[in-house]
Amino acid sequence: MHGLWVLFKCELLYWRVYPLSLVNITVSHFLGIAPFLFAAKLFGDCQDFQIFIAVGLILWYWLGTLFWGIGYGVRDSIDEGVLESIAASPTSLHSLLIAKALNCLLQNIFVTATMLLWLWLLLGVRLEPHWGKFFLILALSGVALSGLAMIYAAFVIRVKQAASIGNTVHEALGLLSGMTFPVHILPAGVRVLSSLIPLTYAIQGARNAVLGKSIVFEVIVLVLFAVITVSLGWYLLSAADRKLRRSGTWGEY
């Protein structure tokens, strides 16, 4: 537990050393979402339509933060020699990934709050969801998507270079999960793939929370996804850890 706390504090120190990074994520994420919302306003000026798109993109950004902060974030740890230090200490690889996950979840909460503020100040779009339902969906989504990021992290540890694959998967998951459109317009075969992605239910649940609809189905599915993805990610990380310890290739890339 002490090792986890130390690694988590190291993750937080990054924001103190590089404070402009907070400015960057405060502005850049909104600049990424704004063109979609201006297009939505152009084609109907319907605030519900803008909210529909905004919620989908916010949850997709959640996946992106976790994917690159946890999944490909271990690549920086390889470059910096952190993994080799962990191998020589009682701390486990899992502690490093959990520390990164906690840091990413805090970052996602901050980005979500600032994006909601930008939407209100610059576009006049106000999200007034049932906040209890909304935060429950965000919490479950964070766990389930962290599991996906852990699976990707195990892959990165094995192959060392996996940025292009990560980019492709991140974009594909956003498309298949309906980040800017309802998934029911997808072809039947593609909808099957969409149903296997936790981000689909995260986006759907968040939209239902904003609209005041029931989120029971999405909550159940996200809990199942959280158990499956975290368990699989934990297993794959353990396997990658054992392989690297046997081969002594923690710092090899």
Side-chain angles (χ1 to χ4, degrees), residues 79-165:
D79 292 343
E80 296 162 1
V82 174
L83 295 193
E84 292 173 290
S85 298
I86 287 176
S89 72
T91 304
S92 69
L93 174 62
H94 301 84
S95 296
L96 173 65
L97 272 296
I98 293 172
K100 288 184 176 295
L102 293 174
N103 178 52
C104 288
L105 289 174
L106 288 177
Q107 180 180 332
N108 275 334
I109 292 171
F110 174 77
V111 168
T112 300
T114 55
M115 288 181 74
L116 294 179
L117 183 61
W118 283 123
L119 290 173
W120 176 49
L121 292 177
L122 298 183
L123 296 176
V125 176
R126 296 187 63 178
L127 272 71
E128 298 178 346
H130 185 290
W131 290 107
K133 292 180 178 179
F134 191 66
F135 286 126
L136 176 60
I137 289 293
L138 290 182
L140 293 174
S141 301
V143 177
L145 298 179
S146 293
L148 279 184
M150 290 172 67
I151 294 171
Y152 178 50
F155 179 72
V156 172
I157 291 171
R158 287 293 189 97
V159 303
K160 302 300 192 293
Q161 295 287 356
S164 57
I165 294 175

Side-chain angles (χ1 to χ4, degrees), residues 11 17 28 30 42 64 109 136 141 144 163 172 207 248 253:
E11 292 291 324
V17 176
S28 62
F30 177 75
L42 179 64
I109 292 171
L136 176 60
S141 301
R207 286 170 175 163
Y253 58 92

Side-chain angles (χ1 to χ4, degrees), residues 36-59:
F36 293 93
L37 298 182
F38 282 123
K41 192 170 185 178
L42 179 64
F43 292 100
D45 195 21
C46 176
Q47 188 169 99
D48 287 345
F49 186 33
Q50 295 178 69
I51 291 173
F52 181 89
I53 293 175
V55 169
L57 289 171
I58 287 172
L59 266 297

